[in-house]
Amino acid sequence: MPDGLYTKKNDIEIIDIILRSKMGAKFSLMGLYTELNIFESIFKTTVSGKIDIGDGANFIGHFPIIGQEYIDIVYRTPGVQTEYTTHTFDVYKVSPRARANPGEGPQGEVYTLFFASPEFISNEQIKCNRSYTGTVSNIVATIMTNNFAGSLSTLEVQNTRNDIRFIAPYWSPFKCIKWLARRALPAVPETNNRESNYLFYQTLDSDFGEYHFKSISSLVNRVPVASYHLSVGDHQPIDDIKQFGRSFTAIESYNNLKYADKFDEVQTGMMASTLFTHDITFKEFDVSSYSYGTDFHSASHVNDYPIMPLNNDVLSPTTDAVVHYKPKQNEMYIKSAKKDEKELPVDNFFYEDWLLDRKSLLGQIQTQKHNIIVSGNTGVHAGDVVSISIPTAEVHTNESSGDDKNLSGKFLVNSIRHIINRLEGHRMQLELSRDSLQEQVPDESKFLGDNTSISLRSHQPT
């Protein structure tokens, strides 16, 4: 095919899928695999996947496959990537082996190999049991460097400002990082100084993957990397020149996973909550609160406007809906003596700085959710921003826009499942979410319909 050009929808170039045994064997799976899935998510620490195998020659026994192998995948998306990408994964599980119509005809069987990034297994074999002091971002970088020295994956860390003293109690490295992510605060707060929504995850940005320690707020500010549209037929405009490229941005399958759930948002503290802290040394109580209506603009969001009306919000003011209590000990590690002319860091975890904000912000990003299937594109990753166009469920006129503004617009990519089928090519299943809208929700609705009242009494059974 011409270098760097699409030839058909769902196009992908797979050079090879190589299975390597730690005992020395090596074999190409290109003639055996039926479907390959690769999954990345901002809520998962590593990239994972599976490959379905159709085996008619007892390859699993001759190789043999025991769940302790490597898989090398070399591929690219034409028109998106000029260079081929190589990803190496560890096989950690083999599914039960199934045979169709046993006793009849050839004894072929099917099974699935499950794989993940090399750190997936090694993380479970490592336990951290040392003391760490410094900013959260520096501690995260130290944990990754010290425990995964042989890893070829890169690490991107968004700097934090708060100092912490942390003694790891024989936790795995990833568990330590998740604990630290809860307490991380951005290094350079400007107007948005309550962005305590850090995550730790891996994507396929580079040959061996890239780990990210970032806040959701830093992700949502980015320009959309792709735009997708939902339409009918061949996804082409009526009475217009047919555009070959338009089919690549068409939404093949659409499912609105979540539109509005105010009960859940109240119950989880997304809308409002209160925190009581008690200093056990100085015997002092402090109270802090979070209100969606008041604090929405204290963090960056996918779009500009909240999901509630400005002056007709009856949920945000009820901060006692969810109440938290946390004991603390101010100045636990403060000493009068100095070490190397630098005061030892304060460490009381500052619950009031992150607890309520984080709970709300992680809930907010799940306010609206879509699941779509589109043509494959290895240039899109979890944590990217995309825009989608969903038409309204009505007859469109020249005077009205065809897009449903409550469903369309910018969204954060929560997760991607790359589905590479030998017969159907490369598709992506995207889970999208957002915490805000393109336009402000009005304080008053002027919709009156046909102003016809319906009498319930007239519909009662006789």
Side-chain angles (χ1 to χ4, degrees):
M1 69 178 58
D3 184 50
L5 296 177
Y6 281 105
T7 60
K8 61 182 183 299
K9 188 180 176 184
N10 302 329
D11 203 4
I12 189 169
E13 287 185 82
I14 300 181
I15 300 301
D16 212 345
I17 303 174
I18 302 172
L19 184 70
R20 293 184 290 118
S21 171
K22 296 183 180 180
M23 296 179 286
K26 182 178 179 181
F27 189 81
S28 174
L29 297 177
M30 291 296 288
L32 296 180
Y33 93 97
T34 57
E35 186 171 283
L36 168 68
N37 282 212
I38 304 177
F39 181 75
E40 59 180 72
S41 168
I42 61 174
F43 300 111
K44 298 290 184 181
T45 52
T46 59
V47 174
S48 60
K50 64 177 184 175
I51 182 169
D52 298 330
I53 302 295
D55 186 354
N58 191 29
F59 166 70
I60 190 172
H62 292 301
F63 190 75
I65 301 175
I66 61 173
Q68 188 176 276
E69 292 76 34
Y70 305 105
I71 284 185
D72 301 318
I73 305 171
V74 186
Y75 65 91
R76 73 167 179 170
T77 300
V80 175
Q81 294 175 296
T82 57
E83 302 293 333
Y84 293 99
T85 300
T86 302
H87 292 300
T88 298
F89 301 98
D90 280 13
V91 175
Y92 67 89
K93 177 181 175 181
V94 182
S95 73
R97 299 157 63 176
R99 298 192 181 188
N101 303 318
E104 299 180 11
Q107 294 299 300
E109 60 183 346
V110 294
Y111 48 87
T112 300
L113 308 182
F114 295 86
F115 56 81
S117 299
E119 296 81 15
F120 176 75
I121 292 293
S122 56
N123 174 70
E124 297 301 318
Q125 299 174 300
I126 302 170
K127 295 296 179 283
C128 301
N129 61 337
R130 54 161 289 188
S131 174
Y132 300 92
T133 301
T135 62
V136 172
S137 53
N138 285 341
I139 295 175
V140 169
T142 299
I143 290 175
M144 290 296 292
T145 301
N146 290 349
N147 294 288
F148 302 108
S151 174
L152 297 176
S153 297
T154 56
L155 174 66
E156 185 177 4
V157 174
Q158 178 188 347
N159 290 334
T160 59
R161 71 175 185 267
N162 52 322
D163 289 326
I164 273 187
R165 177 174 293 181
F166 170 54
I167 302 175
Y170 282 93
W171 286 349
S172 69
F174 289 168
K175 185 173 182 179
C176 292
I177 293 174
K178 286 182 178 180
W179 186 91
L180 291 164
R182 297 183 61 197
R183 292 154 173 81
L185 301 171
V188 187
E190 296 177 358
T191 55
N192 302 324
N193 58 359
R194 302 181 68 169
E195 299 178 341
S196 51
N197 51 2
Y198 274 71
L199 298 174
F200 179 68
Y201 62 98
Q202 187 188 29
T203 61
L204 296 174
D205 289 67
S206 61
D207 267 0
F208 297 95
E210 183 169 49
Y211 285 96
H212 304 269
F213 184 76
K214 296 179 179 178
S215 67
I216 294 177
S217 298
S218 71
L219 301 176
V220 299
N221 284 321
R222 297 188 292 181
V223 176
V225 299
S227 298
Y228 300 105
H229 65 277
L230 179 67
S231 56
V232 295
D234 61 356
H235 308 289
Q236 299 288 347
I238 300 175
D239 298 329
D240 199 357
I241 298 175
K242 301 303 181 183
Q243 303 173 13
F244 177 68
R246 187 172 173 82
S247 62
F248 296 115
T249 62
I251 297 175
E252 300 179 16
S253 175
Y254 163 75
N255 184 19
N256 179 219
L257 298 178
K258 183 180 180 183
Y259 183 69
D261 188 346
K262 290 298 179 286
F263 180 78
D264 179 72
E265 292 164 5
V266 169
Q267 193 177 40
T268 58
M270 193 208 89
M271 297 303 302
S273 57
T274 295
L275 169 67
F276 291 93
T277 58
H278 176 230
D279 189 320
I280 60 177
T281 300
F282 297 98
K283 304 299 188 291
E284 294 177 349
F285 276 99
D286 286 317
V287 182
S288 56
S289 63
Y290 182 93
S291 172
Y292 179 87
T294 303
D295 299 318
F296 174 82
H297 291 291
S298 295
S300 299
H301 299 276
V302 178
N303 296 287
D304 295 330
Y305 299 99
I307 58 170
M308 299 293 286
L310 289 178
N311 303 307
N312 194 8
D313 179 359
V314 299
L315 302 179
S316 296
T318 57
T319 55
D320 286 344
V322 177
V323 177
H324 300 274
Y325 170 80
K326 293 290 183 181
K328 66 177 183 179
Q329 193 167 357
N330 283 333
E331 303 181 2
M332 183 187 300
Y333 296 113
I334 283 291
K335 296 183 179 180
S336 57
K338 291 186 177 182
K339 181 179 181 181
D340 297 330
E341 301 300 322
K342 184 178 181 180
E343 190 74 25
L344 293 178
V346 177
D347 180 9
N348 65 356
F349 302 145
F350 297 106
Y351 290 109
E352 57 272 25
D353 285 351
W354 58 268
L355 181 63
L356 301 184
D357 300 74
R358 181 176 177 83
K359 286 179 66 68
S360 181
L361 291 172
L362 291 184
Q364 288 178 39
I365 198 58
Q366 305 285 345
T367 300
Q368 280 193 0
K369 295 173 68 175
H370 296 311
N371 193 313
I372 64 174
I373 294 179
V374 295
S375 185
N377 181 350
T378 51
V380 180
H381 300 285
D384 284 340
V385 174
V386 299
S387 63
I388 63 172
S389 173
I390 307 295
T392 57
E394 61 183 334
V395 177
H396 299 156
T397 67
N398 293 331
E399 291 78 23
S400 64
S401 170
D403 284 351
D404 189 328
K405 296 179 181 179
N406 291 317
L407 294 176
S408 305
K410 291 170 57 179
F411 283 81
L412 180 69
V413 180
N414 281 357
S415 65
I416 299 178
R417 183 177 297 278
H418 295 277
I419 305 170
I420 302 172
N421 187 281
R422 288 186 65 182
L423 300 178
E424 299 174 359
H426 179 201
R427 288 179 171 85
M428 294 189 303
Q429 184 179 36
L430 305 181
E431 183 183 279
L432 311 175
S433 69
R434 68 178 177 186
D435 53 8
S436 48
L437 302 175
Q438 301 176 88
E439 296 183 0
Q440 179 62 60
V441 177
D443 292 320
E444 181 181 1
S445 174
K446 298 180 180 180
F447 179 78
L448 299 177
D450 60 2
N451 202 28
T452 302
S453 60
I454 299 176
S455 173
L456 296 180
R457 184 183 300 275
S458 63
H459 292 277
Q460 296 296 324
T462 57

